[in-house]
Amino acid sequence: MLLANFSKFILETGTDEAGRGCLAGPVTAAAVILPEDFENIILNDSKQLSEKIREKLRPIIESQAIAFAVTHLHPNEIDEINILNASMKGMQESILKLNPTPKFIIVDGNRLLNAKLGLKTTFGKQFSNTEIELLKSIPNQSIIKGDSKYLSIAAASVLAKTYRDDYMNAIHEEFPMYNWKQNKGYPTKEHREAIRKYGVTKYHRMTFRLLPEQLKLDI
């Protein structure tokens, strides 16, 4: 089983994101505060779980969590501030939505959550000085492979993945030729062939390499 707590604070939130490597769609972040007595032997990093299991876990997490929040950051903002900053901003936004406010934050990865705060963007949420100071005031710890070590990060990974999948299923109906219902915007051969054939949409990330470079050999 995964560990329940890192800091010993009761109001500890885990946070994670999904969709960082996709060519289309948002990067989606979630934050979850679980009760001390939360137990689930199935819960794990969402990448290790089937879609059926993730969908089964989502209502369990949502009904038992002290608080949870989910945030989509869309391609125009990803293109403006880059995918790493967008991923972190999505997690920051999710934490700001939590009620009650957590006393400690654990984040999947190797970068502290408050590494960059208050980026000025054309798109999306603009943080107020009060929100920036609040995020700075909460101690946080980055944990490599935290989604396979701590329940709250694993729960956040499940929510981020399932909410993002729902979003991709919805926009699939608008642009079915890319088959986002199946590939969820990831750089599959099928997705790239559709980009080559039909071009790009408003949901594609224009700063990403949407098509592989064609190499020519001088013989």
Side-chain angles (χ1 to χ4, degrees):
M1 286 184 63
L2 307 189
L3 298 172
N5 191 281
F6 174 86
S7 67
K8 309 310 177 188
F9 283 97
I10 294 174
L11 294 179
E12 175 181 279
T13 186
T15 185
D16 201 3
E17 50 74 25
R20 192 162 150 179
C22 295
L23 303 180
V27 61
T28 302
V32 181
I33 303 175
L34 294 174
E36 285 185 287
D37 59 354
F38 181 88
E39 291 184 1
N40 190 293
I41 61 173
I42 301 173
L43 181 58
N44 202 340
D45 168 16
S46 64
K47 296 185 292 295
Q48 307 300 319
L49 303 172
S50 68
E51 182 177 0
K52 184 177 181 180
I53 293 297
R54 289 194 298 267
E55 291 296 337
K56 182 178 179 180
L57 284 169
R58 176 167 152 181
I60 295 172
I61 294 166
E62 292 181 341
S63 65
Q64 296 188 32
I66 294 172
F68 71 90
V70 180
T71 303
H72 298 301
L73 262 73
H74 297 284
N76 49 12
E77 192 165 5
I78 293 170
D79 288 336
E80 184 171 34
I81 63 175
N82 80 44
I83 186 59
L84 176 58
N85 288 330
S87 299
M88 299 303 290
K89 186 169 183 280
M91 290 187 278
Q92 292 161 359
E93 286 191 37
S94 295
I95 288 165
L96 287 172
K97 295 174 183 176
L98 294 174
N99 185 16
T101 299
K103 300 297 184 184
F104 198 92
I105 301 164
I106 52 175
V107 55
D108 183 54
N110 60 3
R111 192 181 189 215
L112 292 178
L113 186 77
N114 58 7
K116 281 193 178 181
L117 289 169
L119 289 171
K120 299 301 181 184
T121 59
T122 307
F123 308 99
K125 176 180 173 58
Q126 307 297 311
F127 289 171
S128 68
N129 289 335
T130 300
E131 289 171 328
I132 291 171
E133 291 307 312
L134 174 61
L135 286 168
K136 285 181 177 179
S137 73
I138 307 171
N140 68 94
Q141 176 67 47
S142 59
I143 301 172
I144 295 172
K145 296 184 179 179
D147 49 9
S148 61
K149 297 176 182 177
Y150 288 92
L151 285 168
S152 62
I153 300 180
S157 77
V158 168
L159 293 192
K161 175 64 175 167
T162 54
Y163 274 81
R164 187 181 188 279
D165 283 357
D166 285 351
Y167 185 96
M168 298 306 296
N169 291 342
I171 65 173
H172 167 86
E173 302 302 320
E174 189 177 353
F175 293 99
M177 67 283 285
Y178 299 95
N179 200 19
W180 290 329
K181 190 172 184 179
Q182 181 67 36
N183 63 53
K184 301 299 188 284
Y186 281 92
T188 63
K189 181 179 179 181
E190 174 192 44
H191 188 186
R192 282 191 153 135
E193 284 302 317
I195 295 171
R196 192 187 307 277
K197 183 175 181 179
Y198 300 106
V200 297
T201 71
K202 60 186 177 181
Y203 298 112
H204 281 99
R205 304 174 185 178
M206 302 309 296
T207 53
F208 280 48
R209 184 180 295 177
L210 300 178
L211 293 174
E213 293 179 358
Q214 300 300 307
L215 300 179
K216 294 183 179 180
L217 299 178
D218 294 323
I219 299 177

